[in-house]
Every structure is written in C-alpha cells, then in structure tokens.
mmCIF file of all heavy atoms in Angstrom:
data_model
loop_
_atom_site.group_PDB
_atom_site.id
_atom_site.type_symbol
_atom_site.label_atom_id
_atom_site.label_comp_id
_atom_site.label_asym_id
_atom_site.label_seq_id
_atom_site.Cartn_x
_atom_site.Cartn_y
_atom_site.Cartn_z
ATOM 1 N N MET D 1 160.007 70.116 -30.902
ATOM 2 C CA MET D 1 159.847 71.267 -31.777
ATOM 3 C C MET D 1 158.374 71.640 -31.932
ATOM 4 O O MET D 1 158.051 72.804 -32.087
ATOM 5 C CB MET D 1 160.414 70.948 -33.155
ATOM 6 C CG MET D 1 161.846 71.332 -33.413
ATOM 7 S SD MET D 1 162.399 72.855 -32.724
ATOM 8 C CE MET D 1 162.678 73.808 -34.145
ATOM 9 N N GLU D 2 157.518 70.651 -31.900
ATOM 10 C CA GLU D 2 156.106 70.935 -32.115
ATOM 11 C C GLU D 2 155.527 71.793 -30.998
ATOM 12 O O GLU D 2 154.662 72.645 -31.242
ATOM 13 C CB GLU D 2 155.334 69.621 -32.224
ATOM 14 C CG GLU D 2 153.931 69.807 -32.754
ATOM 15 C CD GLU D 2 153.260 68.470 -33.026
ATOM 16 O OE1 GLU D 2 153.947 67.523 -33.451
ATOM 17 O OE2 GLU D 2 152.045 68.396 -32.795
ATOM 18 N N ASN D 3 156.009 71.581 -29.767
ATOM 19 C CA ASN D 3 155.539 72.397 -28.648
ATOM 20 C C ASN D 3 155.878 73.867 -28.849
ATOM 21 O O ASN D 3 155.104 74.745 -28.478
ATOM 22 C CB ASN D 3 156.167 71.914 -27.335
ATOM 23 C CG ASN D 3 155.338 70.856 -26.658
ATOM 24 O OD1 ASN D 3 154.186 70.670 -27.013
ATOM 25 N ND2 ASN D 3 155.928 70.160 -25.703
ATOM 26 N N VAL D 4 157.026 74.135 -29.424
ATOM 27 C CA VAL D 4 157.443 75.522 -29.663
ATOM 28 C C VAL D 4 156.485 76.194 -30.634
ATOM 29 O O VAL D 4 156.065 77.333 -30.415
ATOM 30 C CB VAL D 4 158.894 75.569 -30.197
ATOM 31 C CG1 VAL D 4 159.280 76.978 -30.595
ATOM 32 C CG2 VAL D 4 159.857 75.017 -29.159
ATOM 33 N N TYR D 5 156.124 75.508 -31.688
ATOM 34 C CA TYR D 5 155.214 76.089 -32.681
ATOM 35 C C TYR D 5 153.822 76.309 -32.104
ATOM 36 O O TYR D 5 153.173 77.310 -32.384
ATOM 37 C CB TYR D 5 155.152 75.214 -33.933
ATOM 38 C CG TYR D 5 156.412 75.250 -34.736
ATOM 39 C CD1 TYR D 5 157.154 74.103 -34.965
ATOM 40 C CD2 TYR D 5 156.878 76.448 -35.263
ATOM 41 C CE1 TYR D 5 158.327 74.138 -35.700
ATOM 42 C CE2 TYR D 5 158.045 76.500 -35.997
ATOM 43 C CZ TYR D 5 158.761 75.338 -36.210
ATOM 44 O OH TYR D 5 159.919 75.390 -36.927
ATOM 45 N N LYS D 6 153.349 75.389 -31.286
ATOM 46 C CA LYS D 6 152.040 75.550 -30.656
ATOM 47 C C LYS D 6 152.048 76.743 -29.699
ATOM 48 O O LYS D 6 151.091 77.527 -29.667
ATOM 49 C CB LYS D 6 151.646 74.280 -29.903
ATOM 50 C CG LYS D 6 151.221 73.145 -30.797
ATOM 51 C CD LYS D 6 150.799 71.934 -29.990
ATOM 52 C CE LYS D 6 150.383 70.796 -30.902
ATOM 53 N NZ LYS D 6 149.970 69.611 -30.141
ATOM 54 N N THR D 7 153.130 76.875 -28.943
ATOM 55 C CA THR D 7 153.246 78.004 -28.020
ATOM 56 C C THR D 7 153.294 79.313 -28.782
ATOM 57 O O THR D 7 152.626 80.289 -28.412
ATOM 58 C CB THR D 7 154.517 77.848 -27.155
ATOM 59 O OG1 THR D 7 154.449 76.606 -26.463
ATOM 60 C CG2 THR D 7 154.629 78.976 -26.158
ATOM 61 N N MET D 8 154.051 79.354 -29.861
ATOM 62 C CA MET D 8 154.149 80.579 -30.674
ATOM 63 C C MET D 8 152.795 80.929 -31.292
ATOM 64 O O MET D 8 152.432 82.104 -31.366
ATOM 65 C CB MET D 8 155.215 80.414 -31.763
ATOM 66 C CG MET D 8 156.627 80.431 -31.220
ATOM 67 S SD MET D 8 157.878 80.027 -32.446
ATOM 68 C CE MET D 8 157.614 81.269 -33.667
ATOM 69 N N ARG D 9 152.052 79.922 -31.714
ATOM 70 C CA ARG D 9 150.730 80.160 -32.292
ATOM 71 C C ARG D 9 149.785 80.753 -31.254
ATOM 72 O O ARG D 9 149.070 81.715 -31.524
ATOM 73 C CB ARG D 9 150.165 78.866 -32.850
ATOM 74 C CG ARG D 9 148.797 79.042 -33.510
ATOM 75 C CD ARG D 9 148.177 77.738 -33.879
ATOM 76 N NE ARG D 9 147.908 76.986 -32.644
ATOM 77 C CZ ARG D 9 147.740 75.672 -32.589
ATOM 78 N NH1 ARG D 9 147.817 74.953 -33.679
ATOM 79 N NH2 ARG D 9 147.488 75.071 -31.441
ATOM 80 N N ASN D 10 149.804 80.198 -30.045
ATOM 81 C CA ASN D 10 148.932 80.697 -28.982
ATOM 82 C C ASN D 10 149.301 82.117 -28.579
ATOM 83 O O ASN D 10 148.421 82.951 -28.350
ATOM 84 C CB ASN D 10 148.989 79.770 -27.766
ATOM 85 C CG ASN D 10 148.342 78.428 -28.040
ATOM 86 O OD1 ASN D 10 147.535 78.297 -28.947
ATOM 87 N ND2 ASN D 10 148.721 77.428 -27.273
ATOM 88 N N ILE D 11 150.588 82.389 -28.487
ATOM 89 C CA ILE D 11 151.030 83.734 -28.126
ATOM 90 C C ILE D 11 150.666 84.726 -29.229
ATOM 91 O O ILE D 11 150.231 85.854 -28.952
ATOM 92 C CB ILE D 11 152.545 83.744 -27.839
ATOM 93 C CG1 ILE D 11 152.825 82.979 -26.552
ATOM 94 C CG2 ILE D 11 153.081 85.160 -27.752
ATOM 95 C CD1 ILE D 11 154.293 82.775 -26.260
ATOM 96 N N GLY D 12 150.808 84.319 -30.463
ATOM 97 C CA GLY D 12 150.432 85.191 -31.577
ATOM 98 C C GLY D 12 148.944 85.511 -31.575
ATOM 99 O O GLY D 12 148.542 86.655 -31.781
ATOM 100 N N ALA D 13 148.123 84.519 -31.305
ATOM 101 C CA ALA D 13 146.677 84.744 -31.247
ATOM 102 C C ALA D 13 146.314 85.661 -30.089
ATOM 103 O O ALA D 13 145.465 86.553 -30.228
ATOM 104 C CB ALA D 13 145.947 83.409 -31.107
ATOM 105 N N ALA D 14 146.981 85.484 -28.951
ATOM 106 C CA ALA D 14 146.721 86.344 -27.803
ATOM 107 C C ALA D 14 147.142 87.783 -28.102
ATOM 108 O O ALA D 14 146.444 88.732 -27.724
ATOM 109 C CB ALA D 14 147.458 85.825 -26.577
ATOM 110 N N ASN D 15 148.264 87.961 -28.781
ATOM 111 C CA ASN D 15 148.723 89.310 -29.131
ATOM 112 C C ASN D 15 147.748 90.001 -30.076
ATOM 113 O O ASN D 15 147.491 91.199 -29.941
ATOM 114 C CB ASN D 15 150.107 89.262 -29.757
ATOM 115 C CG ASN D 15 151.186 89.044 -28.730
ATOM 116 O OD1 ASN D 15 150.992 89.292 -27.555
ATOM 117 N ND2 ASN D 15 152.333 88.575 -29.183
ATOM 118 N N ILE D 16 147.207 89.275 -31.016
ATOM 119 C CA ILE D 16 146.224 89.848 -31.938
ATOM 120 C C ILE D 16 144.967 90.254 -31.177
ATOM 121 O O ILE D 16 144.423 91.350 -31.385
ATOM 122 C CB ILE D 16 145.903 88.858 -33.074
ATOM 123 C CG1 ILE D 16 147.109 88.727 -33.993
ATOM 124 C CG2 ILE D 16 144.674 89.305 -33.858
ATOM 125 C CD1 ILE D 16 146.973 87.655 -35.039
ATOM 126 N N ALA D 17 144.510 89.410 -30.273
ATOM 127 C CA ALA D 17 143.314 89.728 -29.491
ATOM 128 C C ALA D 17 143.543 90.948 -28.612
ATOM 129 O O ALA D 17 142.697 91.847 -28.534
ATOM 130 C CB ALA D 17 142.916 88.530 -28.635
ATOM 131 N N ILE D 18 144.694 91.025 -27.971
ATOM 132 C CA ILE D 18 145.006 92.175 -27.122
ATOM 133 C C ILE D 18 145.106 93.445 -27.963
ATOM 134 O O ILE D 18 144.637 94.512 -27.558
ATOM 135 C CB ILE D 18 146.308 91.921 -26.336
ATOM 136 C CG1 ILE D 18 146.062 90.854 -25.275
ATOM 137 C CG2 ILE D 18 146.825 93.195 -25.683
ATOM 138 C CD1 ILE D 18 147.323 90.364 -24.592
ATOM 139 N N GLY D 19 145.686 93.338 -29.131
ATOM 140 C CA GLY D 19 145.785 94.496 -30.028
ATOM 141 C C GLY D 19 144.424 95.014 -30.451
ATOM 142 O O GLY D 19 144.185 96.223 -30.468
ATOM 143 N N ILE D 20 143.509 94.125 -30.769
ATOM 144 C CA ILE D 20 142.159 94.536 -31.161
ATOM 145 C C ILE D 20 141.451 95.216 -29.994
ATOM 146 O O ILE D 20 140.790 96.250 -30.165
ATOM 147 C CB ILE D 20 141.362 93.315 -31.673
ATOM 148 C CG1 ILE D 20 141.927 92.852 -33.011
ATOM 149 C CG2 ILE D 20 139.884 93.636 -31.795
ATOM 150 C CD1 ILE D 20 141.367 91.548 -33.509
ATOM 151 N N ILE D 21 141.605 94.656 -28.798
ATOM 152 C CA ILE D 21 140.982 95.266 -27.610
ATOM 153 C C ILE D 21 141.549 96.664 -27.369
ATOM 154 O O ILE D 21 140.810 97.596 -27.056
ATOM 155 C CB ILE D 21 141.180 94.349 -26.385
ATOM 156 C CG1 ILE D 21 140.343 93.085 -26.544
ATOM 157 C CG2 ILE D 21 140.832 95.071 -25.097
ATOM 158 C CD1 ILE D 21 140.644 92.008 -25.527
ATOM 159 N N MET D 22 142.861 96.822 -27.544
ATOM 160 C CA MET D 22 143.482 98.131 -27.334
ATOM 161 C C MET D 22 143.015 99.153 -28.367
ATOM 162 O O MET D 22 142.795 100.324 -28.047
ATOM 163 C CB MET D 22 145.005 98.005 -27.365
ATOM 164 C CG MET D 22 145.564 97.302 -26.149
ATOM 165 S SD MET D 22 147.339 97.066 -26.214
ATOM 166 C CE MET D 22 147.890 98.751 -26.110
ATOM 167 N N ILE D 23 142.838 98.730 -29.612
ATOM 168 C CA ILE D 23 142.353 99.634 -30.658
ATOM 169 C C ILE D 23 140.937 100.095 -30.337
ATOM 170 O O ILE D 23 140.614 101.283 -30.431
ATOM 171 C CB ILE D 23 142.412 98.943 -32.035
ATOM 172 C CG1 ILE D 23 143.864 98.811 -32.487
ATOM 173 C CG2 ILE D 23 141.604 99.697 -33.068
ATOM 174 C CD1 ILE D 23 144.043 97.973 -33.730
ATOM 175 N N VAL D 24 140.075 99.173 -29.953
ATOM 176 C CA VAL D 24 138.684 99.513 -29.634
ATOM 177 C C VAL D 24 138.631 100.457 -28.436
ATOM 178 O O VAL D 24 137.890 101.453 -28.440
ATOM 179 C CB VAL D 24 137.850 98.237 -29.387
ATOM 180 C CG1 VAL D 24 136.493 98.563 -28.810
ATOM 181 C CG2 VAL D 24 137.707 97.449 -30.675
ATOM 182 N N THR D 25 139.423 100.166 -27.404
ATOM 183 C CA THR D 25 139.445 101.008 -26.207
ATOM 184 C C THR D 25 139.949 102.409 -26.543
ATOM 185 O O THR D 25 139.368 103.406 -26.109
ATOM 186 C CB THR D 25 140.333 100.372 -25.124
ATOM 187 O OG1 THR D 25 139.847 99.069 -24.839
ATOM 188 C CG2 THR D 25 140.339 101.197 -23.866
ATOM 189 N N GLY D 26 141.012 102.499 -27.304
ATOM 190 C CA GLY D 26 141.556 103.798 -27.687
ATOM 191 C C GLY D 26 140.592 104.599 -28.543
ATOM 192 O O GLY D 26 140.443 105.810 -28.365
ATOM 193 N N LEU D 27 139.937 103.924 -29.448
ATOM 194 C CA LEU D 27 138.983 104.605 -30.322
ATOM 195 C C LEU D 27 137.793 105.138 -29.531
ATOM 196 O O LEU D 27 137.384 106.292 -29.710
ATOM 197 C CB LEU D 27 138.502 103.643 -31.406
ATOM 198 C CG LEU D 27 137.685 104.224 -32.552
ATOM 199 C CD1 LEU D 27 138.502 105.253 -33.302
ATOM 200 C CD2 LEU D 27 137.261 103.123 -33.491
ATOM 201 N N SER D 28 137.260 104.326 -28.629
ATOM 202 C CA SER D 28 136.107 104.790 -27.848
ATOM 203 C C SER D 28 136.508 105.914 -26.897
ATOM 204 O O SER D 28 135.744 106.861 -26.701
ATOM 205 C CB SER D 28 135.480 103.629 -27.077
ATOM 206 O OG SER D 28 136.419 103.075 -26.173
ATOM 207 N N THR D 29 137.702 105.855 -26.321
ATOM 208 C CA THR D 29 138.170 106.926 -25.447
ATOM 209 C C THR D 29 138.347 108.222 -26.231
ATOM 210 O O THR D 29 137.972 109.300 -25.757
ATOM 211 C CB THR D 29 139.495 106.527 -24.784
ATOM 212 O OG1 THR D 29 139.314 105.308 -24.079
ATOM 213 C CG2 THR D 29 139.984 107.592 -23.838
ATOM 214 N N GLY D 30 138.886 108.132 -27.410
ATOM 215 C CA GLY D 30 139.054 109.315 -28.248
ATOM 216 C C GLY D 30 137.724 109.937 -28.639
ATOM 217 O O GLY D 30 137.569 111.161 -28.625
ATOM 218 N N ILE D 31 136.766 109.117 -28.982
ATOM 219 C CA ILE D 31 135.445 109.630 -29.354
ATOM 220 C C ILE D 31 134.789 110.321 -28.164
ATOM 221 O O ILE D 31 134.201 111.402 -28.304
ATOM 222 C CB ILE D 31 134.561 108.484 -29.906
ATOM 223 C CG1 ILE D 31 135.081 108.046 -31.268
ATOM 224 C CG2 ILE D 31 133.107 108.913 -29.999
ATOM 225 C CD1 ILE D 31 134.423 106.798 -31.811
ATOM 226 N N LEU D 32 134.897 109.714 -26.981
ATOM 227 C CA LEU D 32 134.328 110.339 -25.785
ATOM 228 C C LEU D 32 134.997 111.675 -25.481
ATOM 229 O O LEU D 32 134.328 112.635 -25.096
ATOM 230 C CB LEU D 32 134.463 109.399 -24.584
ATOM 231 C CG LEU D 32 133.465 108.254 -24.522
ATOM 232 C CD1 LEU D 32 133.814 107.311 -23.375
ATOM 233 C CD2 LEU D 32 132.058 108.771 -24.349
ATOM 234 N N ALA D 33 136.307 111.751 -25.664
ATOM 235 C CA ALA D 33 137.014 113.002 -25.413
ATOM 236 C C ALA D 33 136.566 114.088 -26.389
ATOM 237 O O ALA D 33 136.377 115.250 -25.997
ATOM 238 C CB ALA D 33 138.519 112.784 -25.527
ATOM 239 N N ILE D 34 136.365 113.748 -27.633
ATOM 240 C CA ILE D 34 135.918 114.721 -28.635
ATOM 241 C C ILE D 34 134.501 115.194 -28.322
ATOM 242 O O ILE D 34 134.202 116.389 -28.393
ATOM 243 C CB ILE D 34 136.007 114.105 -30.050
ATOM 244 C CG1 ILE D 34 137.477 113.942 -30.441
ATOM 245 C CG2 ILE D 34 135.264 114.964 -31.068
ATOM 246 C CD1 ILE D 34 137.682 113.155 -31.707
ATOM 247 N N VAL D 35 133.636 114.267 -27.955
ATOM 248 C CA VAL D 35 132.244 114.627 -27.663
ATOM 249 C C VAL D 35 132.166 115.541 -26.441
ATOM 250 O O VAL D 35 131.470 116.560 -26.461
ATOM 251 C CB VAL D 35 131.383 113.359 -27.471
ATOM 252 C CG1 VAL D 35 130.025 113.687 -26.890
ATOM 253 C CG2 VAL D 35 131.226 112.632 -28.796
ATOM 254 N N THR D 36 132.878 115.196 -25.369
ATOM 255 C CA THR D 36 132.821 116.031 -24.171
ATOM 256 C C THR D 36 133.471 117.388 -24.420
ATOM 257 O O THR D 36 133.001 118.404 -23.909
ATOM 258 C CB THR D 36 133.483 115.339 -22.971
ATOM 259 O OG1 THR D 36 134.814 114.982 -23.318
ATOM 260 C CG2 THR D 36 132.705 114.118 -22.549
ATOM 261 N N GLY D 37 134.523 117.433 -25.198
ATOM 262 C CA GLY D 37 135.140 118.711 -25.542
ATOM 263 C C GLY D 37 134.204 119.577 -26.368
ATOM 264 O O GLY D 37 134.135 120.800 -26.175
ATOM 265 N N ALA D 38 133.483 118.971 -27.286
ATOM 266 C CA ALA D 38 132.530 119.724 -28.095
ATOM 267 C C ALA D 38 131.398 120.272 -27.230
ATOM 268 O O ALA D 38 130.946 121.404 -27.419
ATOM 269 C CB ALA D 38 131.962 118.839 -29.199
ATOM 270 N N ASN D 39 130.955 119.489 -26.255
ATOM 271 C CA ASN D 39 129.914 119.971 -25.342
ATOM 272 C C ASN D 39 130.412 121.150 -24.520
ATOM 273 O O ASN D 39 129.667 122.102 -24.277
ATOM 274 C CB ASN D 39 129.437 118.851 -24.414
ATOM 275 C CG ASN D 39 128.490 117.898 -25.107
ATOM 276 O OD1 ASN D 39 127.857 118.255 -26.092
ATOM 277 N ND2 ASN D 39 128.400 116.690 -24.590
ATOM 278 N N LEU D 40 131.657 121.093 -24.067
ATOM 279 C CA LEU D 40 132.216 122.211 -23.313
ATOM 280 C C LEU D 40 132.300 123.473 -24.174
ATOM 281 O O LEU D 40 131.984 124.574 -23.713
ATOM 282 C CB LEU D 40 133.603 121.856 -22.785
ATOM 283 C CG LEU D 40 133.649 121.009 -21.526
ATOM 284 C CD1 LEU D 40 135.096 120.630 -21.215
ATOM 285 C CD2 LEU D 40 133.051 121.760 -20.363
ATOM 286 N N LEU D 41 132.737 123.318 -25.413
ATOM 287 C CA LEU D 41 132.821 124.485 -26.298
ATOM 288 C C LEU D 41 131.439 125.050 -26.606
ATOM 289 O O LEU D 41 131.267 126.268 -26.711
ATOM 290 C CB LEU D 41 133.529 124.103 -27.603
ATOM 291 C CG LEU D 41 135.037 123.915 -27.505
ATOM 292 C CD1 LEU D 41 135.582 123.432 -28.833
ATOM 293 C CD2 LEU D 41 135.702 125.212 -27.088
ATOM 294 N N LYS D 42 130.458 124.171 -26.739
ATOM 295 C CA LYS D 42 129.104 124.615 -27.040
ATOM 296 C C LYS D 42 128.511 125.403 -25.865
ATOM 297 O O LYS D 42 127.791 126.391 -26.075
ATOM 298 C CB LYS D 42 128.237 123.387 -27.343
ATOM 299 C CG LYS D 42 126.866 123.703 -27.899
ATOM 300 C CD LYS D 42 126.235 122.427 -28.408
ATOM 301 C CE LYS D 42 125.069 122.059 -27.548
ATOM 302 N NZ LYS D 42 124.368 120.868 -28.032
ATOM 303 N N LYS D 43 128.829 125.012 -24.656
ATOM 304 C CA LYS D 43 128.273 125.659 -23.471
ATOM 305 C C LYS D 43 129.257 126.646 -22.836
ATOM 306 O O LYS D 43 129.133 126.989 -21.674
ATOM 307 C CB LYS D 43 127.883 124.593 -22.453
ATOM 308 C CG LYS D 43 126.803 123.663 -22.957
ATOM 309 C CD LYS D 43 126.502 122.569 -21.966
ATOM 310 C CE LYS D 43 125.423 121.650 -22.555
ATOM 311 N NZ LYS D 43 125.076 120.580 -21.641
ATOM 312 N N LYS D 44 130.198 127.131 -23.624
ATOM 313 C CA LYS D 44 131.244 128.011 -23.115
ATOM 314 C C LYS D 44 130.674 129.293 -22.525
ATOM 315 O O LYS D 44 131.152 129.783 -21.501
ATOM 316 C CB LYS D 44 132.231 128.343 -24.244
ATOM 317 C CG LYS D 44 133.374 129.219 -23.847
ATOM 318 C CD LYS D 44 134.417 129.327 -24.947
ATOM 319 C CE LYS D 44 133.832 129.954 -26.177
ATOM 320 N NZ LYS D 44 134.854 130.258 -27.197
ATOM 321 N N SER D 45 129.641 129.845 -23.124
ATOM 322 C CA SER D 45 129.076 131.104 -22.639
ATOM 323 C C SER D 45 128.350 130.924 -21.301
ATOM 324 O O SER D 45 128.185 131.888 -20.555
ATOM 325 C CB SER D 45 128.114 131.679 -23.683
ATOM 326 O OG SER D 45 127.026 130.786 -23.880
ATOM 327 N N GLN D 46 127.918 129.737 -20.984
ATOM 328 C CA GLN D 46 127.189 129.481 -19.744
ATOM 329 C C GLN D 46 128.125 129.222 -18.564
ATOM 330 O O GLN D 46 127.698 129.254 -17.424
ATOM 331 C CB GLN D 46 126.262 128.285 -19.915
ATOM 332 C CG GLN D 46 125.194 128.495 -20.965
ATOM 333 C CD GLN D 46 124.412 127.222 -21.243
ATOM 334 O OE1 GLN D 46 124.701 126.180 -20.657
ATOM 335 N NE2 GLN D 46 123.434 127.289 -22.129
ATOM 336 N N LEU D 47 129.395 128.984 -18.835
ATOM 337 C CA LEU D 47 130.336 128.670 -17.772
ATOM 338 C C LEU D 47 130.863 129.951 -17.130
ATOM 339 O O LEU D 47 131.259 130.886 -17.822
ATOM 340 C CB LEU D 47 131.514 127.876 -18.319
ATOM 341 C CG LEU D 47 131.210 126.482 -18.850
ATOM 342 C CD1 LEU D 47 132.454 125.873 -19.454
ATOM 343 C CD2 LEU D 47 130.680 125.587 -17.752
ATOM 344 N N THR D 48 130.835 130.003 -15.823
ATOM 345 C CA THR D 48 131.408 131.133 -15.104
ATOM 346 C C THR D 48 132.318 130.611 -14.004
ATOM 347 O O THR D 48 132.055 129.568 -13.408
ATOM 348 C CB THR D 48 130.307 132.008 -14.449
ATOM 349 O OG1 THR D 48 129.507 131.170 -13.613
ATOM 350 C CG2 THR D 48 129.434 132.650 -15.504
ATOM 351 N N PHE D 49 133.386 131.322 -13.759
ATOM 352 C CA PHE D 49 134.342 130.910 -12.737
ATOM 353 C C PHE D 49 134.364 131.919 -11.613
ATOM 354 O O PHE D 49 134.188 133.056 -11.740
ATOM 355 C CB PHE D 49 135.755 130.772 -13.314
ATOM 356 C CG PHE D 49 135.867 129.617 -14.258
ATOM 357 C CD1 PHE D 49 135.780 129.805 -15.621
ATOM 358 C CD2 PHE D 49 136.065 128.335 -13.768
ATOM 359 C CE1 PHE D 49 135.892 128.740 -16.486
ATOM 360 C CE2 PHE D 49 136.175 127.270 -14.623
ATOM 361 C CZ PHE D 49 136.097 127.469 -15.989
#
C-alpha cells in the first residue's frame, strides 16, 4: 500500500509542476499576442497591400 501512496504523491507533484508551466506559457503567449496586435494597430496607416 505504501508504494501506491508514494506513486500518487509523485504524480500529484508532477501534475502541479506541469500545470504551473502551462499557466506561465499561456500567460506569456497571450501577452506577446496583445503586444504584437497593438503594434499592428498602431502602425495601421503605414501598412499597404
């Protein structure tokens, strides 16, 4: 039984670590998307197709 609890503890810790990494990655990607979109809107008059 003790092996089961140790395995569950390790898996739980890994899930928490993966969740934190995913939050940080998502947040930084969102910030980059907002910044680049704002730059495009700011330079809208300079863009020609």
Side-chain angles (χ1 to χ4, degrees):
M1 267 322 247
E2 193 172 325
N3 270 346
V4 174
Y5 290 119
K6 286 182 180 180
T7 303
M8 288 172 59
R9 182 188 65 201
N10 291 339
I11 291 173
N15 284 339
I16 290 173
I18 290 171
I20 290 171
I21 291 170
M22 289 177 67
I23 288 172
V24 169
T25 303
L27 190 61
S28 61
T29 303
I31 290 171
L32 283 173
I34 290 171
V35 168
T36 55
N39 282 337
L40 280 174
L41 286 175
K42 190 169 112 177
K43 297 176 181 181
K44 181 171 62 172
S45 63
Q46 298 172 359
L47 294 176
T48 55
F49 291 98

